[in-house]
Amino acid sequence: SACGLIVGWRIREGALRAVAAYALLLLFCYALSWVSAVIGLSVRSVEVAQSAGFIWLFPVTFVSNAFVRSEGMPPVLRAIADWNPVSAVAGACRELFGNTSPVLSASSSWPARHAILLAVAYPVGLLVVFVPLAVSRYRRAALR
């Protein structure tokens, strides 16, 4: 945030919405940490865990509209980018911080219009799936 402020980024929607955006970012990161925990508990060595942790994260991040508008993508890639959890969180944070551009806000896709809803639903869904998996794998690993 400090770096963004230095280069010109501003919070335009007030403190309450900014706190909501930061909370949303923390919720998403927390959910992804449980995904990483499952991956780390599923492999035998630290080196494999580190590699496996990034294998899924890079495609999910780069096939999103966080860096490039999805309107310019081929139809299949556009659908994947529009429904990507990273796209939902990025769009929701842009909206909550008040930094939506006319190009991004003109998107007619359902995920773009309901980014905040999806940005909350995706982490909750990830937590519902991956917390029990991580706990189960941890118990199994602790018995070894």
Side-chain angles (χ1 to χ4, degrees):
S1 294
C3 183
L5 288 169
I6 290 169
V7 298
W9 171 77
R10 297 291 180 259
I11 296 171
R12 303 185 197 296
E13 289 292 325
L16 190 58
R17 288 178 63 94
V19 168
Y22 285 119
L24 185 61
L25 286 169
L26 288 173
L27 175 66
F28 188 63
C29 291
Y30 181 68
L32 291 183
S33 71
W34 283 99
V35 174
S36 297
V38 169
I39 292 169
L41 290 166
S42 299
V43 298
R44 297 261 182 216
S45 72
V46 175
E47 293 80 14
V48 174
Q50 186 175 10
S51 298
F54 287 117
I55 288 173
W56 68 273
L57 188 58
F58 280 128
V60 169
T61 303
F62 288 117
V63 182
S64 71
N65 64 15
F67 303 113
V68 177
R69 295 178 322 158
S70 57
E71 285 80 14
M73 297 179 184
V76 173
L77 198 55
R78 179 181 180 177
I80 293 169
D82 283 344
W83 287 94
N84 189 324
V86 174
S87 296
V89 172
C93 286
R94 286 181 186 123
E95 184 177 333
L96 289 169
F97 285 129
N99 291 306
T100 56
S101 71
V103 174
L104 291 173
S105 60
S107 177
S108 62
S109 69
W110 191 91
R113 290 191 320 267
H114 300 89
I116 295 174
L117 173 68
L118 283 175
V120 172
Y122 280 133
V124 169
L126 288 171
L127 288 170
V128 166
V129 171
F130 285 98
V131 168
L133 279 173
V135 170
S136 170
R137 291 189 189 268
Y138 178 77
R139 286 184 180 150
R140 199 173 322 142
L143 292 175
R144 282 192 242 152

